[in-house]
Amino acid sequence: MVTPALSPLYRDCDFNGPLSDARAARLIDGLGPLDGAHVVDVGCGWAELLRTLERAPTATGFGIDLGGEALAHGRAGAAARGLADRVELVEGDAGEWTRAGSGTAADVVFNIGSTHAWGGEPVEHTANALEALSGLLRPGGRLLFGECFWLREPTGAELAAMYDTPREQYRTMRALVDMALSYGFRLRELAQASPQEWDDFENRHARGWEDWLAANPGSPDAEEVRARADRHRVARVDGWREVMGMAYLTLVRV
């Protein structure tokens, strides 16, 4: 991984995914009151969703992720919002953390685009995540779960463009919902990212790569950064654009 390109890549992103501020606010509202809740963000990145604790002064938050740079950014953001004493962000393996036992069950859990945290083969990621997340929640607890799904059946060429994504790694929206319910949840709300949210997210990434390349033409990392940017562009244009969707499931633990 080319460290000089990391900050520019995420420079313009509030969320590391196709999620607008407006949709994030609606998703949080759909969880119901957070007063007094313990909120856990598994695979949190810079934990932008935990900013919602501003609206619930008696709630506490915990986030875990492997990305030290992202966590540092998240801690700075929490401090700027006056949340440093109520939000703890820990660098670590989220899968190992849940397998080891998390102590008190959470009232609310976020897992957005981070099913890979539990390892295993890509085709097992969603099931592994739902099993682990179900175990984190008390009965009646709520899970905000973000996962990709197929808008339509992808072709072999499209799968190859998407970094050789296995067809079985994702499923239809119906199959994703059915899988979630099979792990002891009821569906409270359902939404999906719009094409505009996807374009906004990907354009911010593209700007990050291109601005860095323009500012660092002589860098020894430039060739690698350019190759990564080009590969990502191919994945976007020839692969997942209008083929892959992002679903946001608001689930209640039975």
Side-chain angles (χ1 to χ4, degrees):
M1 184 173 290
V2 183
T3 302
L6 288 176
S7 294
L9 180 62
Y10 301 108
R11 177 194 61 197
D12 298 329
C13 297
D14 289 338
F15 302 100
N16 187 20
L19 180 62
S20 65
D21 288 339
R23 186 179 303 281
R26 290 194 296 270
L27 291 172
I28 296 302
D29 286 343
L31 290 167
L34 296 179
D35 295 306
H38 182 55
V39 183
V40 173
D41 192 341
V42 184
C44 65
W46 52 86
E48 189 68 11
L49 279 173
L50 289 177
R51 71 184 184 183
T52 57
L53 271 62
E54 290 179 293
R55 299 158 53 185
T58 58
T60 58
F62 175 88
I64 184 166
D65 197 277
L66 284 172
E69 182 182 2
L71 290 168
H73 180 64
R75 291 188 190 103
R81 295 182 173 104
L83 297 173
D85 61 337
R86 292 196 287 128
V87 173
E88 179 186 8
L89 301 181
V90 172
E91 184 173 350
D93 185 306
E96 290 297 326
W97 177 76
T98 54
R99 283 189 287 268
S102 62
T104 304
D107 301 294
V108 176
V109 172
F110 302 146
N111 183 250
I112 305 295
S114 298
T115 59
H116 57 275
W118 287 271
E121 294 298 319
V123 298
E124 301 170 341
H125 286 174
T126 305
N128 290 345
L130 287 166
E131 181 177 11
L133 295 166
S134 177
L136 280 178
L137 282 160
R138 63 167 179 78
R142 290 146 286 167
L143 168 64
L144 179 55
F145 185 66
E147 176 64 314
C148 291
F149 70 100
W150 296 125
L151 292 166
R152 62 164 174 79
E153 185 73 19
T155 68
E158 287 165 340
L159 291 170
M162 290 183 269
Y163 303 94
D164 290 311
T165 297
R167 163 65 183 82
E168 298 79 10
Q169 182 171 351
Y170 303 115
R171 49 203 51 80
T172 65
M173 174 76 87
R174 173 59 182 272
L176 176 61
V177 171
D178 286 348
M179 175 179 277
L181 300 185
S182 75
Y183 282 90
F185 292 103
R186 297 287 297 175
L187 182 66
R188 179 180 170 96
E189 290 192 357
L190 176 65
Q192 72 183 65
S194 69
Q196 188 62 62
E197 285 174 302
W198 273 108
D199 281 348
D200 287 346
F201 171 59
E202 294 296 345
N203 288 339
R204 288 166 181 161
H205 272 203
R207 286 200 305 267
W209 294 123
E210 298 308 318
D211 288 351
W212 187 90
L213 287 167
N216 300 275
S219 170
D221 293 321
E223 183 176 351
E224 183 180 348
V225 172
R226 187 176 295 106
R228 291 179 65 191
D230 290 347
R231 181 72 180 90
H232 193 83
R233 184 192 66 248
V234 169
R236 175 190 182 187
V237 176
D238 296 342
W240 57 66
R241 193 171 195 273
E242 298 183 347
V243 176
M244 182 182 288
M246 171 65 84
Y248 298 106
L249 283 63
T250 303
L251 302 163
V252 179
R253 179 75 167 87
V254 177

